[in-house]
Amino acid sequence: MTTTAITNIASLVTNDPSLCADSPLGTIRDAAVVIEGDRIVWTGESSKAPATDNAVDAGGRAMIPGFVDSHSHLVFAGDRTEEFNARMSGHAYSAGGIRTTVAATRAATDEELSANVARYLAEALRQGTTTFETKSGYGLTVEDEARALRIAARHTEEVTYLGAHVVSPDYADDPAGYVDLVTGPMLDACAPYARWVDVFCEKGAFDGDQARAILTAGMAKGLLPRVHANQLGHGPGVQLAVELDAASADHCTHLTDADVDALAQGNTVATLLPGAEFSTRATWPDARRILDAGATVALSTDCNPGSSFTSSMPFCIALAVRDMGMTPDEALWSATAGGAAALRRTDIGRIAPGARADLALLDAPSHVHLAYRPGVPLVHTVWRRGERVVGEPQS
């Protein structure tokens, strides 16, 4: 395999403090990265870079790991512009809006759904996202949930079964029957295409007992748990996630002291989704409180047509710094290494020997500009699995 050195990097965020003891992010100044195939094989100061087959001049820009978006809902059709417009005019969001997307998704063809996923992934890639998770949840029938996961699996290895998004409108008068479907025939049809099982544990969706039944059924089929937890109010979701050693509890907007303590003492990542709060004018998650307790935090987009229609991780970083009490360093770590932790991955979210060569070069001298210059398209070049997939750097 050929080797490529990317040199003249003003600031290289490795997320590996062992590579630079003076920086919590392992930031190396005047740095270089060497790629061989789809892996990173060397990082360090440019002046010490080994000889390689090819060379790329980063032009004095900053480089960060590719973003890891560990929570999105991309298999859908239609949009909910009218709902957003109404909400911005004073109407509160509720979980029932999901049913609008369910109808549009059921009516769409496989080709239309796959094209939508590809479109939003390309949009995210241009903004530096090199790994993403996505879910089913807009079909709510055995056939539609299974086809959503088949489609998702064409685009990512991080696929989540979310038949328990809301109770299907077909079972409006029989929620227990729908839980039986989700834990029985639907699970059987969906498990072969998914890595994860998820549930929306929330008033208006599934209560704690229902969520436990759904998650444990998925785990019995070999799926790993993650939980939509504590978005709209206090509830059992976070505690259940920690109890079941779920990889992540997602949203974490309304937390008790016991919830925060549980996250700090367990292995479950608190995945915060500021795009949802921005788009619904809801209370911001208190990232500072969670971090100060010692819990691990991830940042993700929650890209979906109802409550967070953004694919931009830089936007979420800016919101986290401005409104959630995070420092620029913490927000970047949470959007990269934090997302990797929420997916229980060690091969992504960092720039170090052995890691996958997922890199984002910024048109800025420092990663701080992601929050300092909100809304500006700063991602200049992206490498995914060692291949340049966005941009042409100056030489």
PDB file of all heavy atoms in Angstrom, residues 269-290:
ATOM      1  N   VAL A 269     -22.721   6.531  28.018  1.00  0.00           N
ATOM      2  CA  VAL A 269     -22.392   7.886  27.570  1.00  0.00           C
ATOM      3  C   VAL A 269     -23.668   8.733  27.534  1.00  0.00           C
ATOM      4  O   VAL A 269     -24.714   8.267  27.067  1.00  0.00           O
ATOM      5  CB  VAL A 269     -21.742   7.851  26.179  1.00  0.00           C
ATOM      6  CG1 VAL A 269     -21.523   9.255  25.620  1.00  0.00           C
ATOM      7  CG2 VAL A 269     -20.425   7.080  26.233  1.00  0.00           C
ATOM      8  N   ALA A 270     -23.584   9.953  28.007  1.00  0.00           N
ATOM      9  CA  ALA A 270     -24.685  10.913  27.874  1.00  0.00           C
ATOM     10  C   ALA A 270     -24.531  11.623  26.537  1.00  0.00           C
ATOM     11  O   ALA A 270     -23.634  12.459  26.371  1.00  0.00           O
ATOM     12  CB  ALA A 270     -24.660  11.914  29.026  1.00  0.00           C
ATOM     13  N   THR A 271     -25.370  11.277  25.582  1.00  0.00           N
ATOM     14  CA  THR A 271     -25.298  11.886  24.252  1.00  0.00           C
ATOM     15  C   THR A 271     -26.264  13.061  24.206  1.00  0.00           C
ATOM     16  O   THR A 271     -27.476  12.889  24.330  1.00  0.00           O
ATOM     17  CB  THR A 271     -25.641  10.866  23.155  1.00  0.00           C
ATOM     18  OG1 THR A 271     -24.696   9.796  23.213  1.00  0.00           O
ATOM     19  CG2 THR A 271     -25.579  11.510  21.775  1.00  0.00           C
ATOM     20  N   LEU A 272     -25.718  14.249  24.033  1.00  0.00           N
ATOM     21  CA  LEU A 272     -26.515  15.473  24.027  1.00  0.00           C
ATOM     22  C   LEU A 272     -26.758  15.911  22.590  1.00  0.00           C
ATOM     23  O   LEU A 272     -25.874  15.813  21.735  1.00  0.00           O
ATOM     24  CB  LEU A 272     -25.802  16.570  24.815  1.00  0.00           C
ATOM     25  CG  LEU A 272     -25.336  16.176  26.227  1.00  0.00           C
ATOM     26  CD1 LEU A 272     -24.714  17.375  26.944  1.00  0.00           C
ATOM     27  CD2 LEU A 272     -26.493  15.606  27.045  1.00  0.00           C
ATOM     28  N   LEU A 273     -27.962  16.401  22.330  1.00  0.00           N
ATOM     29  CA  LEU A 273     -28.425  16.676  20.972  1.00  0.00           C
ATOM     30  C   LEU A 273     -28.963  18.103  20.897  1.00  0.00           C
ATOM     31  O   LEU A 273     -30.174  18.330  20.828  1.00  0.00           O
ATOM     32  CB  LEU A 273     -29.501  15.655  20.590  1.00  0.00           C
ATOM     33  CG  LEU A 273     -29.100  14.188  20.841  1.00  0.00           C
ATOM     34  CD1 LEU A 273     -30.310  13.271  20.731  1.00  0.00           C
ATOM     35  CD2 LEU A 273     -28.011  13.756  19.884  1.00  0.00           C
ATOM     36  N   PRO A 274     -28.083  19.097  20.885  1.00  0.00           N
ATOM     37  CA  PRO A 274     -28.535  20.482  20.983  1.00  0.00           C
ATOM     38  C   PRO A 274     -29.371  20.958  19.815  1.00  0.00           C
ATOM     39  O   PRO A 274     -30.125  21.927  19.947  1.00  0.00           O
ATOM     40  CB  PRO A 274     -27.232  21.283  21.092  1.00  0.00           C
ATOM     41  CG  PRO A 274     -26.185  20.383  20.518  1.00  0.00           C
ATOM     42  CD  PRO A 274     -26.618  18.991  20.857  1.00  0.00           C
ATOM     43  N   GLY A 275     -29.274  20.287  18.665  1.00  0.00           N
ATOM     44  CA  GLY A 275     -30.131  20.670  17.545  1.00  0.00           C
ATOM     45  C   GLY A 275     -31.597  20.533  17.890  1.00  0.00           C
ATOM     46  O   GLY A 275     -32.437  21.307  17.399  1.00  0.00           O
ATOM     47  N   ALA A 276     -31.937  19.546  18.726  1.00  0.00           N
ATOM     48  CA  ALA A 276     -33.339  19.350  19.121  1.00  0.00           C
ATOM     49  C   ALA A 276     -33.825  20.493  19.988  1.00  0.00           C
ATOM     50  O   ALA A 276     -34.955  20.983  19.816  1.00  0.00           O
ATOM     51  CB  ALA A 276     -33.493  18.019  19.843  1.00  0.00           C
ATOM     52  N   GLU A 277     -32.994  20.916  20.922  1.00  0.00           N
ATOM     53  CA  GLU A 277     -33.406  22.042  21.775  1.00  0.00           C
ATOM     54  C   GLU A 277     -33.492  23.332  20.967  1.00  0.00           C
ATOM     55  O   GLU A 277     -34.406  24.145  21.164  1.00  0.00           O
ATOM     56  CB  GLU A 277     -32.420  22.201  22.942  1.00  0.00           C
ATOM     57  CG  GLU A 277     -32.677  21.269  24.104  1.00  0.00           C
ATOM     58  CD  GLU A 277     -32.354  19.820  23.795  1.00  0.00           C
ATOM     59  OE1 GLU A 277     -31.332  19.575  23.102  1.00  0.00           O
ATOM     60  OE2 GLU A 277     -33.113  18.928  24.229  1.00  0.00           O
ATOM     61  N   PHE A 278     -32.555  23.519  20.041  1.00  0.00           N
ATOM     62  CA  PHE A 278     -32.590  24.701  19.189  1.00  0.00           C
ATOM     63  C   PHE A 278     -33.879  24.747  18.374  1.00  0.00           C
ATOM     64  O   PHE A 278     -34.534  25.787  18.258  1.00  0.00           O
ATOM     65  CB  PHE A 278     -31.382  24.693  18.253  1.00  0.00           C
ATOM     66  CG  PHE A 278     -31.338  25.825  17.271  1.00  0.00           C
ATOM     67  CD1 PHE A 278     -30.776  27.041  17.612  1.00  0.00           C
ATOM     68  CD2 PHE A 278     -31.858  25.678  15.990  1.00  0.00           C
ATOM     69  CE1 PHE A 278     -30.741  28.095  16.707  1.00  0.00           C
ATOM     70  CE2 PHE A 278     -31.825  26.718  15.078  1.00  0.00           C
ATOM     71  CZ  PHE A 278     -31.271  27.924  15.433  1.00  0.00           C
ATOM     72  N   SER A 279     -34.254  23.601  17.802  1.00  0.00           N
ATOM     73  CA  SER A 279     -35.388  23.551  16.883  1.00  0.00           C
ATOM     74  C   SER A 279     -36.741  23.475  17.568  1.00  0.00           C
ATOM     75  O   SER A 279     -37.775  23.630  16.905  1.00  0.00           O
ATOM     76  CB  SER A 279     -35.236  22.346  15.945  1.00  0.00           C
ATOM     77  OG  SER A 279     -34.076  22.477  15.150  1.00  0.00           O
ATOM     78  N   THR A 280     -36.737  23.236  18.871  1.00  0.00           N
ATOM     79  CA  THR A 280     -38.006  23.158  19.606  1.00  0.00           C
ATOM     80  C   THR A 280     -38.122  24.218  20.687  1.00  0.00           C
ATOM     81  O   THR A 280     -39.112  24.242  21.415  1.00  0.00           O
ATOM     82  CB  THR A 280     -38.169  21.767  20.253  1.00  0.00           C
ATOM     83  OG1 THR A 280     -37.102  21.540  21.175  1.00  0.00           O
ATOM     84  CG2 THR A 280     -38.175  20.669  19.198  1.00  0.00           C
ATOM     85  N   ARG A 281     -37.105  25.074  20.801  1.00  0.00           N
ATOM     86  CA  ARG A 281     -37.078  26.104  21.845  1.00  0.00           C
ATOM     87  C   ARG A 281     -37.262  25.493  23.233  1.00  0.00           C
ATOM     88  O   ARG A 281     -37.943  26.032  24.087  1.00  0.00           O
ATOM     89  CB  ARG A 281     -38.146  27.170  21.585  1.00  0.00           C
ATOM     90  CG  ARG A 281     -37.834  28.062  20.402  1.00  0.00           C
ATOM     91  CD  ARG A 281     -38.918  29.102  20.186  1.00  0.00           C
ATOM     92  NE  ARG A 281     -38.569  30.034  19.133  1.00  0.00           N
ATOM     93  CZ  ARG A 281     -39.435  30.812  18.489  1.00  0.00           C
ATOM     94  NH1 ARG A 281     -40.727  30.733  18.790  1.00  0.00           N
ATOM     95  NH2 ARG A 281     -39.036  31.636  17.545  1.00  0.00           N
ATOM     96  N   ALA A 282     -36.620  24.351  23.431  1.00  0.00           N
ATOM     97  CA  ALA A 282     -36.726  23.642  24.707  1.00  0.00           C
ATOM     98  C   ALA A 282     -35.548  24.014  25.605  1.00  0.00           C
ATOM     99  O   ALA A 282     -34.607  24.695  25.195  1.00  0.00           O
ATOM    100  CB  ALA A 282     -36.753  22.134  24.460  1.00  0.00           C
ATOM    101  N   THR A 283     -35.604  23.547  26.830  1.00  0.00           N
ATOM    102  CA  THR A 283     -34.526  23.769  27.793  1.00  0.00           C
ATOM    103  C   THR A 283     -33.251  23.095  27.304  1.00  0.00           C
ATOM    104  O   THR A 283     -33.275  21.959  26.839  1.00  0.00           O
ATOM    105  CB  THR A 283     -34.912  23.173  29.160  1.00  0.00           C
ATOM    106  OG1 THR A 283     -36.120  23.788  29.596  1.00  0.00           O
ATOM    107  CG2 THR A 283     -33.815  23.387  30.183  1.00  0.00           C
ATOM    108  N   TRP A 284     -32.126  23.795  27.418  1.00  0.00           N
ATOM    109  CA  TRP A 284     -30.861  23.216  27.012  1.00  0.00           C
ATOM    110  C   TRP A 284     -30.404  22.168  28.017  1.00  0.00           C
ATOM    111  O   TRP A 284     -30.554  22.330  29.222  1.00  0.00           O
ATOM    112  CB  TRP A 284     -29.768  24.300  26.928  1.00  0.00           C
ATOM    113  CG  TRP A 284     -30.029  25.327  25.884  1.00  0.00           C
ATOM    114  CD1 TRP A 284     -30.489  26.589  26.087  1.00  0.00           C
ATOM    115  CD2 TRP A 284     -29.853  25.199  24.470  1.00  0.00           C
ATOM    116  NE1 TRP A 284     -30.605  27.263  24.894  1.00  0.00           N
ATOM    117  CE2 TRP A 284     -30.221  26.421  23.881  1.00  0.00           C
ATOM    118  CE3 TRP A 284     -29.410  24.158  23.648  1.00  0.00           C
ATOM    119  CZ2 TRP A 284     -30.163  26.632  22.512  1.00  0.00           C
ATOM    120  CZ3 TRP A 284     -29.357  24.371  22.285  1.00  0.00           C
ATOM    121  CH2 TRP A 284     -29.717  25.591  21.720  1.00  0.00           C
ATOM    122  N   PRO A 285     -29.810  21.064  27.562  1.00  0.00           N
ATOM    123  CA  PRO A 285     -29.155  20.145  28.498  1.00  0.00           C
ATOM    124  C   PRO A 285     -28.016  20.862  29.224  1.00  0.00           C
ATOM    125  O   PRO A 285     -27.343  21.721  28.635  1.00  0.00           O
ATOM    126  CB  PRO A 285     -28.607  19.038  27.598  1.00  0.00           C
ATOM    127  CG  PRO A 285     -29.341  19.164  26.305  1.00  0.00           C
ATOM    128  CD  PRO A 285     -29.684  20.611  26.166  1.00  0.00           C
ATOM    129  N   ASP A 286     -27.797  20.520  30.477  1.00  0.00           N
ATOM    130  CA  ASP A 286     -26.732  21.138  31.269  1.00  0.00           C
ATOM    131  C   ASP A 286     -25.483  20.279  31.161  1.00  0.00           C
ATOM    132  O   ASP A 286     -25.200  19.438  32.017  1.00  0.00           O
ATOM    133  CB  ASP A 286     -27.185  21.268  32.724  1.00  0.00           C
ATOM    134  CG  ASP A 286     -26.223  22.106  33.562  1.00  0.00           C
ATOM    135  OD1 ASP A 286     -25.098  22.379  33.078  1.00  0.00           O
ATOM    136  OD2 ASP A 286     -26.590  22.463  34.695  1.00  0.00           O
ATOM    137  N   ALA A 287     -24.735  20.476  30.093  1.00  0.00           N
ATOM    138  CA  ALA A 287     -23.532  19.673  29.878  1.00  0.00           C
ATOM    139  C   ALA A 287     -22.517  19.883  30.991  1.00  0.00           C
ATOM    140  O   ALA A 287     -21.831  18.938  31.404  1.00  0.00           O
ATOM    141  CB  ALA A 287     -22.923  20.023  28.527  1.00  0.00           C
ATOM    142  N   ARG A 288     -22.421  21.117  31.492  1.00  0.00           N
ATOM    143  CA  ARG A 288     -21.442  21.411  32.536  1.00  0.00           C
ATOM    144  C   ARG A 288     -21.672  20.538  33.769  1.00  0.00           C
ATOM    145  O   ARG A 288     -20.752  19.996  34.360  1.00  0.00           O
ATOM    146  CB  ARG A 288     -21.530  22.892  32.901  1.00  0.00           C
ATOM    147  CG  ARG A 288     -20.531  23.382  33.925  1.00  0.00           C
ATOM    148  CD  ARG A 288     -19.176  23.655  33.297  1.00  0.00           C
ATOM    149  NE  ARG A 288     -18.298  22.484  33.323  1.00  0.00           N
ATOM    150  CZ  ARG A 288     -17.552  22.100  32.299  1.00  0.00           C
ATOM    151  NH1 ARG A 288     -17.584  22.725  31.141  1.00  0.00           N
ATOM    152  NH2 ARG A 288     -16.783  21.054  32.413  1.00  0.00           N
ATOM    153  N   ARG A 289     -22.931  20.407  34.146  1.00  0.00           N
ATOM    154  CA  ARG A 289     -23.286  19.591  35.310  1.00  0.00           C
ATOM    155  C   ARG A 289     -22.883  18.135  35.095  1.00  0.00           C
ATOM    156  O   ARG A 289     -22.344  17.478  35.997  1.00  0.00           O
ATOM    157  CB  ARG A 289     -24.796  19.699  35.546  1.00  0.00           C
ATOM    158  CG  ARG A 289     -25.363  18.874  36.677  1.00  0.00           C
ATOM    159  CD  ARG A 289     -26.881  18.967  36.638  1.00  0.00           C
ATOM    160  NE  ARG A 289     -27.543  18.190  37.664  1.00  0.00           N
ATOM    161  CZ  ARG A 289     -28.809  17.798  37.596  1.00  0.00           C
ATOM    162  NH1 ARG A 289     -29.545  18.128  36.530  1.00  0.00           N
ATOM    163  NH2 ARG A 289     -29.351  17.095  38.577  1.00  0.00           N
ATOM    164  N   ILE A 290     -23.132  17.609  33.906  1.00  0.00           N
ATOM    165  CA  ILE A 290     -22.829  16.211  33.615  1.00  0.00           C
ATOM    166  C   ILE A 290     -21.317  15.990  33.578  1.00  0.00           C
ATOM    167  O   ILE A 290     -20.787  15.029  34.144  1.00  0.00           O
ATOM    168  CB  ILE A 290     -23.475  15.792  32.283  1.00  0.00           C
ATOM    169  CG1 ILE A 290     -24.991  15.998  32.336  1.00  0.00           C
ATOM    170  CG2 ILE A 290     -23.160  14.335  31.967  1.00  0.00           C
ATOM    171  CD1 ILE A 290     -25.683  15.843  30.990  1.00  0.00           C
TER     172      ILE A 290
END
